[in-house]
Amino acid sequence: MKKRTAGRKALYVILVVYAIITVIPFLWALSSSFKTLGEIVSGSINFIPKEFTLDNYKQIFTREPLFGRWLFNSLFIATVGTLLNLLFNSMAGYALARLSFPGKKSIFLMILAVLMIPFQVTLIPNFLILKELGWLNSYQGMIIPGAVNATFIFMMRQFFINFPKEVEEAAAIDGLGRFGTFFRIVLPLAKPALAAQTIFVFMAFWNDFMRPLIILSDQDMFTLPLGLNSFKGQFISFWNYIMAASMVFTLPIIVLYAFFNRYFVKGIKFTGDK
Amino acid sequence: MKMLSKKDRREAGQGYLFLLPALLVLGVFVIAPILYAVFLSFHKVELIGGATYEFRGLDNFMKVTFDDRAIIALKNTAIYVAIVVPTQTFLALVLAASLNAGLKGQKFFRIVYFLPTLTSSAVLTLIFMWMYNQNGLINYVLKFLNLPTYNWIGDPDVALIAIMIMNIWATAPFFMVIYLAALQDIPDSHYEAAELDGAGPIQKFWHITVPNLRPVTSFVVIMGLIGTFQLFDQSYIFSGGSGGPNNSTLTVVLLIYQYAFKTLGTMGYATAIAFMLAIIILVATLLQRKFSKEESLY
Amino acid sequence: MRHTKWLSAIGVPSLVLATVLSGCGNDNGKEETQSGKTEIVLSGWGGNPTEKKLLNEVLSDFEKEHPHIDVKLNTISDQYMDVLKTRLIGGTAADVFYLDAFEAPALIETGAVEPLNKYVTKEFDLADFEKPMLDAFKEGEKLYGLPKDYSTLALFYNKKMFKEAGIKEPPKTWEEMEAVAKKLTDQKKQVYGLGMLPQIERMYYMAESQDGQVITDGRATFADDKVVDAIQPVVDMHIKDKTAATPSEVGAGQSAGEMFGRGNAAMVMEGNWNIPFLEDTFPELDYGTAELPTVNGKKGTMSFAVGYAMNAESEHKKESWELIEYLTGKEGMKKWTSKGFALPTRKSVATELGFDQDELRGPLVSGAEYATVWQDGPTLPIVMNNFNNQFLSAYLGDRPLKEALKDAERQANREIKVTE
């Protein structure tokens, strides 16, 4: 028994130390966002601001009237993009896991191969294709090329491979066709996997920097990372503003995560679901 | 070859239909661009001011042999991959195993640990640059502990290490969650049996947890390889796009970016390097699969 | 039966797709401006907020005078040239854009920049421009841009520190500066005599002061002893005298201005941009400016010019020219440079605004006469990148300067070869 508690203590030490390591950068950024420029420049190290101020947050919203618009663009692109991903990736993953058809193996290998191509390879050709479609500087230009994600096709395939066949067979007996089974039975049962995907895909859209930088040219069309960057450009030494903007930028994702957290770990399964 | 039965044919049709949206998007926005990139890699390309293409055969692929910076970039990237992938995988595993021990408050730790993964790399890089500052938090702590301090961003000897630390910190929790999910599928009976044999927590970790997680580890390592070989954002922001100081943060993808966007007329060369990188990643992945001997995932 | 379900399954995604597409279609796309106005887009980098506000004022003045034109300002605040090049490829670049003299030759070579000769009128008075700045945008006889403003480098010195060290006036020669820097340095307090960015753009004039060439016929030649010897003093100040440091060594990132403002450096060599920066960030600081110390008895400094250029693919060239004409004309330039964010490239405007009499800006204006324009053909960006990369290792004392520059020269030339 004693040994057990000693082991537990050791585990707690690991967990707490690592939690501190994880949290400190955020606390430091948060604390900097409440400091005055004078305190930032003086280079003193203290987590509690000597002169607590909310001015940095006020400034970023008043000095940047487009902030709300950027927030909307980011939310819109990320939300629609995520919905499309959920649908398309699940369908593809399901087909690769459950249905047999000629060429399945090569299609699967192709999708795996797509994962390995650095996106810089396709960046310029992609850009030229969007130009031909007239989709530059548009929402669809941001959403459609990212509406499918090879990683999550792969993940959904793993999920469906371990999905109990009996459920589908029962559905088939009830007279549901393949698509009915998929949309009415399979997808609802795949909620945990979809929740995990939601967070990852939403994050990918939300945080994407390189693609919007190239595709979007109107300030009205900017997403938040571009906005943050333009903000950084304007206030190079104003770490207090930069940190405040960084915090505002991070908040929505944390809220989303808190919301989906309950499904989260359950969703990322590679070896079966119970 | 057997003719497909009616049922088989219907199933095949359904399969293609299910895959259709994915194949359409991947086809137009990934496969077609790749083919186009193949074309570019055999040409000298200038896209500004009316596109011009000049066929150069294998020229672009040969250039790598005398381009010092390509060799430096490859070396930096290799070092980075070799250190980051094992470290983050191991750290993720240890954290997941600790979290899974059924301690109180594990939900809290799980949320805390996941914070870095939720934050965009652009924001994280900014926060770390702020902490890596010569008079910043990290040097302050080092000084407090009587350890040597560094000019993390400006000193070529440590700049890449600074990025490694940051990335291990940021990506380990992501893989931790994947491990955590898999850990819940290891039957308790395995552990109970080991306990009866008198195994301590460390033995249990090595003899039950690690072997049972092998397929997931394989996945984590492959994702890690792909991610680390493609390091870009962090070295771009740290060095302001130059790969400095003294080429110490120049990675292959950053080099590709420079040749594609900064230098005019080297688009073809950039795509040639990109293809070589893709081949390296492919080979590394295949090697990993060979070593892990674990096929259940694929 | 089955078939209808199939169809509905395909129908859902495509419906979503269609909704998204049509939904966003309305939202973007260049609106035809109402009431027959022509919209032209202007791109530049950010600048600080006050500067941006000033530019907006100048632009609305222009719109008042040219009621048929609507100017849309589109700022690219980071990676300006990369983004600009990408947009030129995509056909979404602005009609009129900022162009740094240093990047101009390479971009002009591609044919993406419209020659301006045919638009320029007599009244526009090209001769009024400072010639070196105008030449920076010329290729042969063709003019590809008009310099909107410029800055040289001057020596910024901290008056309080100078007083405390008993130094009466700023150093006039490099040797004097070395001596003064020794007095001003206090390593324990992280105070250095000179704050220095170890970059070639800050010392090009020095590098070529002994008749060496950094670039010859488009190839890097800076490992030449004449160049190495000329810049050796910069390195020595850092590793031998230990009286100079880079901003990042004292935690000021890449900003020598910040290093100076915080009191980590008693002197820095900076441009006009540093004046509004210090005013905003360190309003209490008491400092002065002087011309850069002479090297071997010769005056020298760098000058950085930025111009307006026209997109060769612009659909509104006439209107674009009207904008450039206004912004670089006497009236527009006067307004733009009146607040002192940048120095006017027109002699008449400079005289009228009297910056040569200005206490802080005087030394910057005097430098224009003998300054080396930061530009040296299309290969300069590559040469710069390689030089800066390796120079740093010499600056930090990791290896001898000659050796580092030899490596850098070889790398630069190989990279240039790669581009051919």
Side-chain angles (χ1 to χ4, degrees):
Chain A
M1 238 12 194
K2 240 183 196 166
K3 219 173 164 185
R4 243 195 144 132
T5 43
R8 273 178 181 248
K9 268 186 193 154
L11 277 182
Y12 265 120
V13 170
I14 298 180
L15 291 177
V16 170
V17 167
Y18 199 75
I20 292 173
I21 293 175
T22 303
V23 166
I24 277 187
F26 291 100
L27 288 184
W28 184 235
L30 193 67
S31 116
S32 303
S33 74
F34 293 123
K35 288 179 181 172
T36 59
L37 182 64
E39 194 172 343
I40 293 277
V41 170
S42 75
S44 63
I45 304 290
N46 48 299
F47 275 87
I48 298 177
K50 282 177 197 147
E51 219 181 299
F52 184 89
T53 173
L54 284 172
D55 192 50
N56 301 326
Y57 287 91
K58 232 189 278 164
Q59 288 291 330
I60 56 172
F61 278 97
T62 48
R63 289 207 184 185
E64 198 42 86
L66 282 174
F67 210 86
R69 173 83 200 192
W70 295 340
L71 189 69
F72 169 80
N73 290 340
S74 273
L75 281 173
F76 181 78
I77 291 170
T79 309
V80 178
T82 306
L83 288 176
L84 292 180
N85 262 283
L86 290 179
L87 188 67
F88 294 164
N89 295 343
S90 310
M91 287 169 65
Y94 182 76
L96 291 173
R98 271 292 196 267
L99 304 172
S100 59
F101 48 90
K104 184 166 118 174
K105 199 156 185 197
S106 15
I107 290 177
F108 181 57
L109 283 179
M110 183 198 82
I111 288 173
L112 269 188
V114 160
L115 277 176
M116 290 166 202
I117 304 286
F119 89 110
Q120 282 77 6
V121 180
T122 55
L123 199 58
I124 285 296
N126 223 319
F127 179 76
L128 296 175
I129 289 172
L130 289 177
K131 178 189 172 188
E132 288 311 311
L133 292 170
W135 285 7
L136 288 176
N137 197 29
S138 74
Y139 288 127
Q140 63 268 37
M142 281 297 302
I143 294 170
I144 305 299
V148 167
N149 184 313
T151 312
F152 295 104
I153 294 181
F154 180 71
M155 199 181 102
M156 290 314 284
R157 174 182 174 269
Q158 303 314 126
F159 183 86
F160 288 128
I161 274 187
N162 296 303
F163 198 73
K165 269 209 169 93
E166 297 79 26
V167 180
E168 285 162 85
E169 280 158 12
I173 291 165
D174 290 349
L176 276 178
R178 183 65 75 183
F179 288 87
T181 312
F182 179 73
F183 283 106
R184 292 201 205 151
I185 312 287
V186 176
L187 266 194
L189 285 172
K191 251 186 214 150
L194 295 178
Q197 220 193 114
T198 303
I199 293 187
F200 289 133
V201 174
F202 190 90
M203 257 168 54
F205 272 105
W206 183 260
N207 292 336
D208 195 3
F209 175 68
M210 205 53 214
R211 255 170 9 106
L213 177 72
I214 286 173
I215 295 171
L216 305 176
S217 46
D218 254 337
Q219 240 144 5
D220 292 347
M221 291 296 293
F222 273 13
T223 56
L224 273 180
L226 288 189
L228 181 68
N229 199 53
S230 88
F231 204 77
K232 186 189 109 201
Q234 282 179 53
F235 300 97
I236 286 176
S237 296
F238 293 75
W239 284 102
N240 48 339
Y241 291 168
I242 297 176
M243 288 300 133
S246 300
M247 291 294 105
V248 172
F249 179 70
T250 309
L251 199 68
I253 285 281
I254 293 179
V255 170
L256 185 80
Y257 175 65
F259 190 71
F260 281 106
N261 182 37
R262 145 174 105 88
Y263 297 106
F264 194 55
V265 171
K266 262 209 227 148
I268 318 169
K269 287 211 166 166
F270 292 94
T271 49
D273 190 76
K274 282 170 201 153
Chain B
M1 273 290 270
K2 207 171 55 176
M3 277 292 283
L4 291 171
S5 73
K6 198 179 161 200
K7 184 169 164 277
D8 286 344
R9 256 182 296 162
R10 195 171 64 215
E11 188 167 324
Q14 290 166 340
Y16 295 132
L17 272 175
F18 266 92
L19 275 167
L20 187 70
L23 290 182
L24 258 179
V25 173
L26 289 179
V28 176
F29 295 106
V30 182
I31 310 289
I34 289 173
L35 295 178
Y36 188 60
V38 173
F39 167 81
L40 291 180
S41 69
F42 292 104
H43 290 76
K44 179 178 163 61
V45 187
E46 180 55 83
L47 293 171
I48 301 184
T52 55
Y53 307 91
E54 191 185 311
F55 184 72
R56 286 288 178 90
L58 287 171
D59 243 25
N60 286 327
F61 293 90
M62 303 313 288
K63 278 177 180 170
V64 178
T65 54
F66 65 78
D67 185 358
D68 288 351
R69 298 181 73 237
I71 291 154
I72 294 170
L74 190 61
K75 211 180 86 196
N76 288 339
T77 309
I79 294 173
Y80 180 82
V81 172
I83 294 178
V84 172
V85 173
T87 316
Q88 76 187 13
T89 309
F90 184 70
L91 185 61
L93 185 57
V94 170
L95 288 176
S98 310
L99 268 185
N100 201 43
L103 297 173
K104 265 187 200 154
Q106 59 155 303
K107 238 185 211 156
F108 167 78
F109 286 115
R110 203 170 75 199
I111 294 177
V112 168
Y113 289 176
F114 210 61
L115 281 177
T117 302
L118 294 173
T119 315
S120 87
S121 57
V123 169
L124 283 183
T125 313
L126 284 175
I127 295 178
F128 269 74
M129 279 179 85
W130 173 226
M131 294 201 307
Y132 276 138
N133 206 314
Q134 182 78 41
N135 293 330
L137 186 64
I138 289 179
N139 274 344
Y140 179 82
V141 172
L142 290 175
K143 215 188 266 168
F144 184 75
L145 299 172
N146 266 325
L147 294 168
T149 62
Y150 297 96
N151 181 1
W152 290 98
I153 299 165
D155 183 345
D157 295 336
V158 292
L160 190 64
I161 298 175
I163 296 181
M164 287 179 187
I165 295 174
M166 181 178 100
N167 272 17
I168 291 170
W169 177 88
T171 36
F174 172 74
F175 293 123
M176 176 199 78
V177 174
I178 293 176
Y179 272 129
L180 207 53
L183 272 174
Q184 300 184 337
D185 294 328
I186 301 180
D188 290 343
S189 56
H190 285 30
Y191 288 105
E192 282 154 16
E195 250 166 72
L196 285 179
D197 292 343
I202 299 192
Q203 279 104 319
K204 279 195 283 183
F205 176 75
W206 285 111
H207 293 292
I208 298 175
T209 313
V210 173
N212 268 294
L213 288 180
R214 196 174 273 164
V216 182
T217 303
S218 175
F219 174 79
V220 166
V221 170
I222 289 182
M223 295 312 272
L225 282 174
I226 293 172
T228 47
F229 267 115
Q230 297 182 11
L231 174 68
F232 173 76
D233 290 18
Q234 292 82 351
S235 46
Y236 188 95
I237 301 179
F238 259 60
S239 67
S242 72
N246 197 14
N247 287 329
S248 59
T249 60
L250 184 69
T251 63
V252 176
V253 177
L254 181 55
L255 189 75
I256 294 170
Y257 174 85
Q258 289 183 351
Y259 280 127
F261 291 97
K262 281 209 187 313
T263 321
L264 293 163
T266 44
M267 186 75 74
Y269 180 47
T271 47
I273 303 178
F275 277 114
M276 285 185 266
L277 177 67
I279 290 167
I280 291 173
I281 296 177
L282 191 70
V283 169
T285 312
L286 290 176
L287 280 180
Q288 195 281 336
R289 275 180 70 180
K290 258 230 143 60
F291 281 123
S292 75
K293 286 177 251 151
E294 186 57 62
E295 295 296 320
S296 75
L297 263 177
Y298 310 98
Chain C
M1 263 303 280
R2 289 249 156 86
H3 284 277
T4 48
K5 271 173 195 155
W6 275 42
L7 283 176
S8 73
I10 295 306
V12 174
S14 36
L15 205 78
V16 177
L17 250 165
T19 327
V20 172
L21 295 188
S22 58
C24 332
N26 310 334
D27 226 46
N28 85 96
K30 290 202 174 143
E31 294 131 57
E32 284 303 310
T33 31
Q34 315 83 347
S35 63
K37 275 192 184 180
T38 312
E39 183 185 273
I40 55 175
V41 183
L42 169 68
S43 266
W45 45 82
N48 68 45
T50 352
E51 199 179 327
K52 208 168 159 184
K53 205 175 128 216
L54 181 63
L55 181 58
N56 273 319
E57 281 170 26
V58 181
L59 291 178
S60 68
D61 283 359
F62 167 77
E63 284 171 338
K64 258 178 237 150
E65 277 182 39
H66 300 75
H68 59 296
I69 300 177
D70 235 359
V71 184
K72 197 165 156 204
L73 179 61
N74 184 325
T75 323
I76 304 169
S77 33
D78 200 18
Q79 301 132 17
Y80 178 80
M81 277 312 281
D82 301 355
V83 176
L84 179 67
K85 283 173 195 166
T86 317
R87 289 190 189 161
L88 284 169
I89 296 171
T92 50
D95 301 287
V96 179
F97 49 82
Y98 286 16
L99 184 58
D100 194 310
F102 140 82
E103 300 267 12
L107 197 65
I108 290 169
E109 247 185 7
T110 65
V113 186
E114 175 83 0
L116 299 176
N117 302 58
K118 63 177 172 205
Y119 304 100
V120 177
T121 57
K122 255 223 169 89
E123 298 83 75
F124 186 66
D125 194 8
L126 271 186
D128 190 26
F129 285 91
E130 298 273 5
K131 194 166 175 298
M133 319 297 171
L134 195 65
D135 288 348
F137 296 95
K138 271 186 173 168
E139 194 65 56
E141 275 311 298
K142 280 195 173 158
L143 179 67
Y144 289 92
L146 284 164
K148 70 185 192 77
D149 53 40
Y150 78 102
S151 175
T152 57
L153 292 179
L155 187 75
F156 285 67
Y157 63 98
N158 186 315
K159 282 188 177 165
K160 197 171 143 237
M161 288 186 190
F162 267 58
K163 210 173 182 180
E164 281 167 7
I167 305 161
K168 294 223 175 66
E169 51 173 22
K172 295 232 161 50
T173 67
W174 185 270
E175 292 72 24
E176 264 178 61
M177 187 184 70
E178 286 178 334
V180 167
K182 279 180 196 154
K183 285 193 207 161
L184 291 160
T185 302
D186 181 349
Q187 274 199 57
K188 268 193 208 121
K189 285 196 205 147
Q190 276 201 334
V191 175
Y192 291 88
L194 180 68
M196 180 86 191
L197 283 169
Q199 296 169 344
I200 188 154
E201 51 269 45
R202 300 302 175 108
M203 50 195 185
Y204 209 79
Y205 72 99
M206 276 185 85
E208 298 200 332
S209 64
Q210 296 185 13
D211 300 323
Q213 291 290 320
V214 175
I215 295 177
T216 315
D217 296 331
R219 291 275 192 252
T221 51
F222 53 71
D224 183 358
D225 282 332
K226 286 181 200 153
V227 176
V228 177
D229 291 346
I231 53 177
Q232 186 68 46
V234 176
V235 179
D236 288 345
M237 254 184 103
H238 184 246
I239 51 176
K240 287 211 182 114
D241 295 358
K242 298 193 174 17
T243 55
T246 66
S248 81
E249 284 175 297
V250 297
Q254 289 297 313
S255 166
E258 191 181 328
M259 181 180 181
F260 181 69
R262 283 194 194 168
N264 293 113
M267 298 178 280
V268 288
M269 299 174 182
E270 283 291 296
N272 185 68
W273 57 82
N274 203 31
I275 297 173
F277 169 77
L278 292 174
E279 215 170 87
D280 274 356
T281 323
F282 303 96
E284 309 288 310
L285 192 76
D286 185 20
Y287 68 96
T289 59
E291 289 178 62
L292 289 193
T294 57
V295 179
N296 298 327
K298 262 190 283 180
K299 284 188 173 188
T301 184
M302 299 304 297
S303 108
F304 305 95
V306 176
Y308 282 113
M310 195 196 298
N311 186 347
E313 283 175 18
S314 164
E315 281 164 18
H316 308 291
K317 287 185 179 158
K318 194 180 138 281
E319 291 81 3
S320 297
W321 168 250
E322 283 178 55
L323 179 63
I324 297 179
E325 188 180 35
Y326 179 81
L327 290 171
T328 57
K330 287 174 190 167
E331 189 188 337
M333 185 180 288
K334 189 178 145 199
K335 172 122 193 178
W336 168 241
T337 52
S338 61
K339 299 262 168 71
F341 290 114
L343 300 173
T345 46
R346 277 181 179 273
K347 291 175 221 156
S348 63
V349 177
T351 323
E352 205 184 327
L353 292 173
F355 284 139
D356 50 336
Q357 305 301 321
D358 188 290
E359 194 194 344
L360 287 173
R361 292 180 176 86
L364 289 161
V365 176
S366 323
E369 226 177 283
Y370 51 83
T372 308
V373 176
W374 172 233
Q375 184 188 59
D376 203 345
T379 55
L380 184 58
I382 293 176
V383 171
M384 172 189 85
N385 201 8
N386 283 287
F387 181 100
N388 289 349
N389 249 321
Q390 303 276 340
F391 179 72
L392 183 71
S393 63
Y395 193 74
L396 295 177
D398 291 346
R399 52 204 302 214
L401 180 60
K402 172 86 182 169
E403 197 186 302
L405 291 189
K406 241 183 167 162
D407 258 11
E409 183 182 290
R410 198 188 64 237
Q411 279 181 17
N413 286 334
R414 286 181 167 186
E415 204 180 322
I416 292 167
K417 207 172 143 202
V418 162
T419 66
E420 280 163 357

